[in-house]
Amino acid sequence: MSPRRRVLLVGVLALLVGYLLPGLVQWLLGAVWWRAYEVCQLPVPGLGTVCEAGGEFRALLPPLALLGLVVVAVATLWGAARWCLRPVRDLAEPVTHVGPQNLGYRIRPRGRDELARLARAIDDMMERITAGYEGQRRFAANASHELRTPLAVQRTLIEVGMARTLTGEQLELLTAQLLQTNERNERLIEGLLALSESDQGLRSSTPQRLDEIAAGVLAAYADRATEAGVTVASRLAPRVVMGERVLLERLVTNLVENGIKYNRPGGRLTVTVDGAPALTVANTGQVVPTEAVAGLFEPFRRLARDRTNSGGGAGLGLAIARSITQAHDGVIAARPGEDGGLRVDVQLPGPH
């Protein structure tokens, strides 16, 4: 029986008791607690016998009877309340035992009453918790894998250097390879720290000129674009957004860096700042399947499956961009470009 029906039933019973209780109390007062009698005096000349009505409470029995009645009423109300709330107690019992070892537990209620809606809300909450827990677990596993690969390379190079005497040319090559793997580790750790900071939300939110931020990032990456043979075009209209400048710079930097890194010689990179969307970064390059676009925003997810040949990236650029956008209450979306590559649109709220 649902809690609503239980409460309704108890309410009806309470009304009946309330209707019958006054008569019961009156009967107890008249028949049990009070003993009536008459007191007659000796005959008085001219008046006859004079009698007066009287009565008295029966010593200890009436107070004990009243106390017993109160105790019974309180116990009945207490039992009725527990009976009404029993479905909630039965629901809470299994939920208290849910933990990382049994995140797959679901209540799967039947019916449409309040308790069923509560149970369905708990199931939905468990789905979100499970998804977040599994995402964190995959993230930790992928991070471990990403760190293990260059560390294994470093260990091998060091063992080779210790195992034999190297010529100057071999030593120079070994040093260069160690420096390259160490730089990759630094980029990975820096990306992990940036992702963690953006997930913590904004420390402050002030009006920022997004067009000026984009212009500064493009100026910083002009030489790299020239070295990669990528032509950069920009259309930067004045645009003010609310946010934190450091994170917005990181957002634009990641998108521009990806647009150059995963481009082709002779390709193009177009950066637009306008009203809606606030920021658009589009590049040419490898054709991106539509079904693979959503996965590119996951940490360590790349279009190329070879982890050791990814242009020096850690696969965190778009994941960080998404986290920063969400921290600014914005929306980021991507779709394949018309000439290959990717187009990324970022919606950001302006000042109120």
Side-chain angles (χ1 to χ4, degrees):
M1 184 181 296
S2 67
R4 184 194 308 173
R5 293 178 179 177
R6 290 172 181 251
V7 172
L8 180 61
L9 180 58
V10 170
V12 171
L13 292 177
L15 289 175
L16 290 176
V17 171
Y19 177 77
L20 298 176
L21 188 59
L24 178 61
V25 171
Q26 185 177 5
W27 177 83
L28 286 174
L29 288 174
V32 179
W33 291 7
W34 181 260
R35 183 174 64 86
Y37 57 85
E38 287 185 344
V39 178
C40 297
Q41 299 178 356
L42 294 175
V44 178
L47 294 177
T49 304
V50 178
C51 296
E52 296 179 356
E56 63 179 357
F57 285 103
R58 295 186 177 180
L60 189 59
L61 181 59
L64 289 179
L66 179 59
L67 178 61
L69 183 62
V70 172
V71 170
V72 170
V74 171
T76 302
L77 291 175
W78 178 264
R82 286 181 57 86
W83 182 70
C84 289
L85 295 176
R86 181 176 179 181
V88 179
R89 188 168 62 252
D90 294 341
L91 175 65
E93 181 65 24
V95 174
T96 57
H97 299 291
V98 174
Q101 71 282 357
N102 57 350
L103 286 176
Y105 173 79
R106 298 294 180 272
I107 302 172
R108 296 184 177 87
R110 298 178 182 178
R112 298 182 179 179
D113 56 26
E114 291 79 2
L115 191 64
R117 287 198 291 269
L118 174 61
R120 279 190 287 270
I122 293 176
D123 282 350
D124 294 340
M125 179 189 66
M126 290 300 302
E127 290 289 347
R128 295 190 295 272
I129 292 176
T130 301
Y133 181 82
E134 291 298 325
Q136 291 294 330
R137 193 164 60 88
R138 288 194 302 270
F139 180 84
N142 290 332
S144 300
H145 186 87
E146 292 286 341
L147 284 169
R148 185 168 58 244
T149 301
L151 289 176
V153 173
Q154 285 182 333
R155 179 185 180 89
T156 301
L157 292 174
I158 294 173
E159 289 177 348
V160 169
M162 296 177 62
R164 58 181 180 177
T165 303
L166 301 178
T167 64
E169 182 179 354
Q170 291 173 332
L171 183 60
E172 183 178 355
L173 177 61
L174 177 65
T175 304
Q177 291 176 336
L178 282 172
L179 181 61
Q180 182 180 3
T181 55
N182 187 70
E183 289 176 348
R184 185 172 186 273
N185 283 339
E186 289 179 353
R187 286 193 297 270
L188 175 59
I189 294 173
E190 181 184 357
L192 292 174
L193 290 175
L195 185 59
S196 174
E197 291 176 358
S198 59
D199 284 340
Q200 293 175 3
L202 303 181
R203 296 183 179 90
S204 62
S205 182
T206 56
Q208 302 290 339
R209 285 286 298 272
L210 186 62
D211 54 307
E212 295 179 357
I213 293 175
V217 172
L218 289 175
Y221 277 82
D223 293 340
R224 185 177 300 185
T226 302
E227 293 174 0
V230 175
T231 302
V232 178
S234 61
R235 297 190 295 273
L236 308 178
R239 180 71 160 87
V240 178
V241 299
M242 297 298 297
E244 191 173 331
R245 186 176 185 87
V246 174
L247 291 180
L248 290 173
E249 288 178 349
R250 185 62 187 242
L251 168 65
V252 180
T253 298
N254 282 11
L255 296 180
V256 170
E257 185 176 3
N258 276 5
I260 297 174
K261 183 188 304 179
Y262 298 106
N263 215 312
R264 54 178 170 78
R268 301 185 311 278
L269 173 66
T270 304
V271 179
T272 304
V273 174
D274 207 340
L279 173 67
T280 299
V281 179
N283 69 310
T284 56
Q286 179 183 354
V287 176
V288 180
T290 303
E291 62 275 8
V293 172
L296 295 178
F297 287 96
E298 297 298 324
F300 309 107
R301 190 74 62 87
R302 309 184 186 92
L303 190 60
R305 295 186 178 277
D306 186 5
R307 293 180 181 266
T308 62
N309 185 20
S310 58
L316 291 172
L318 289 180
I320 295 173
R322 180 182 64 177
S323 181
I324 293 174
T325 303
Q326 291 175 345
H328 285 79
D329 296 326
V331 178
I332 187 170
R335 65 176 185 268
E338 297 178 357
D339 299 325
L342 201 65
R343 172 183 169 133
V344 181
D345 295 323
V346 181
Q347 303 275 2
L348 291 173
H352 300 291

